Amino acid sequence: MRKFLLALVAVAAAGLAHAAGPAIPLEAANTNVSDRASLQRGARLFMNYCASCHSAQLNRYSRIAEDLGLTEEQVMQNLNFTGAKFGDGVKVAMDPADATQWFGAAPPDLSLTARAKHGGADWIYTYLKSFYIDESRPIGWNNPVLANASMPHVLWELQGVQRAITEPKTNDAAGNPQPCPKGEVKGACLVRFELVQPGLMDEAEYDLAIRDITNFMVYMAEPAALKREAYGPWVILFLAFFTFLAWLLKREYWRDLH
Ligand code: HEC
């Protein structure tokens, strides 16, 4: 019980620490859930790099297979590393209590994050792009989108390691603080992120990878959107056909009146 209360306090404290919201402008994620290849790549990256800490309990492996056009075998061999059953939701190998102890906050379930987060897909995309080294923190990383995040930069091998170049905030003639056009990092204006150690991917490849992960998370938050988008063109076609019928009918009625 004490452990539980401690965990609760840790989560509440993490919540308060982040209450400020993103300190840099969000970048457009430009995701597209009808891009199946992107969803498949995103699922692979998600299961390899995120599901070790985060669950996505509302999304069953079987449903993911169906929606992404994968076989049971493909999913169980390439996307499921926890020994969960095909019909189970995406589980996490780590005990949440351990995670709270290690990271100071339990990694939240990510099933609905793309919908629940203010900023949605753009928030996630910008978050995954903006980890920088911060030696003042025990975790070694920081992120202006989620200030003092207790999540390490798990994709650093792909992106490389970047540091934040900042300049002091300025005041105008009247002494009023001026806003930072590119946002703030630890009380100073962000100029840019500078790569101090290259990763396995160049910038364009990395952007694509995190767009794919974000796309998969958007899909997970609303799997029904896939089917809806697939129905879309048929609905439009039906409406067009119906409009044509109505027009024929109108012409028929008006013929006698002219
Ligand atoms: C080593 C464990 C770990 C891994 C791996 C990890 N995360 Fe996290 N993540 C965390 C923790 C801990 C938090 C809570 C951060 C906080 O509140 O300070 C978090 C928070 C988040 C949040 C914010 C959620 C919210 O509601 O505030 C998102 C989004 C997220 N992670 C996405 C990802 C993605 C995408 C990946 C894979 C690329 C990933 N995480 C991999 C530990 C991890």
Side-chain angles (χ1 to χ4, degrees):
M1 186 66 193
R2 236 189 79 208
K3 238 181 165 173
F4 174 72
L5 284 178
L6 276 177
L8 217 65
V9 170
V11 169
L16 281 180
H18 305 319
I24 56 170
L26 297 183
E27 282 184 49
N30 293 323
T31 51
N32 173 8
V33 284
S34 47
D35 183 347
R36 188 176 258 191
S38 159
L39 288 181
Q40 291 177 350
R41 291 190 304 263
R44 201 185 182 110
L45 287 164
F46 185 88
M47 299 303 175
N48 276 294
Y49 288 99
C50 316
S52 42
C53 290
H54 292 282
S55 59
Q57 298 272 22
L58 299 182
N59 303 91
R60 296 170 187 278
Y61 293 102
S62 49
R63 176 72 192 268
I64 292 173
E66 184 191 330
D67 287 342
L68 271 55
L70 300 167
T71 65
E72 173 168 357
E73 207 186 356
Q74 283 170 325
V75 167
M76 296 308 269
Q77 281 182 4
N78 302 313
L79 296 183
N80 177 352
F81 309 114
T82 56
K85 294 196 203 67
F86 189 50
D88 285 345
V90 175
K91 283 208 184 77
V92 55
M94 189 184 288
D95 180 348
D98 286 342
T100 307
Q101 211 161 20
W102 293 338
F103 303 112
D109 185 275
L110 294 184
S111 311
L112 297 174
T113 307
R115 252 199 301 169
K117 266 276 171 223
H118 190 64
D122 297 348
W123 191 100
I124 297 168
Y125 178 76
T126 313
Y127 177 55
L128 295 177
K129 214 178 146 122
S130 307
F131 282 91
Y132 65 93
I133 34 171
D134 181 351
E135 270 122 27
S136 73
R137 302 193 66 223
I139 198 170
W141 300 99
N142 211 333
N143 195 314
V145 178
L146 189 69
N148 298 323
S150 35
M151 173 173 145
H153 186 13
V154 298
L155 299 172
W156 73 270
E157 278 177 315
L158 305 184
Q159 184 187 26
V161 176
Q162 58 185 9
R163 70 188 180 104
I165 311 269
T166 58
E167 60 189 15
K169 284 192 187 172
T170 51
N171 292 337
D172 66 7
N176 299 317
Q178 294 296 96
C180 304
K182 294 189 175 167
E184 287 183 32
V185 165
K186 296 174 108 186
C189 288
L190 176 67
V191 179
R192 66 193 158 89
F193 287 119
E194 183 190 64
L195 210 58
V196 289
Q197 184 187 324
L200 294 168
M201 295 178 165
D202 65 22
E203 195 181 343
E205 288 169 332
Y206 184 71
D207 288 355
L208 184 68
I210 58 176
R211 177 165 297 133
D212 290 340
I213 296 177
T214 308
N215 199 20
F216 180 66
M217 286 179 65
V218 170
Y219 151 74
M220 283 204 300
E222 205 186 357
L226 267 191
K227 296 225 158 70
R228 208 170 49 227
E229 296 210 356
Y231 292 149
W234 295 105
V235 172
I236 302 287
L237 217 62
F238 173 77
L239 286 178
F241 177 65
F242 201 76
T243 309
F244 177 66
L245 278 186
W247 175 76
L248 282 181
L249 205 63
K250 178 202 157 237
R251 207 178 55 163
E252 196 57 33
Y253 285 155
W254 281 77
R255 197 198 308 254
D256 300 336
L257 295 175
H258 281 308

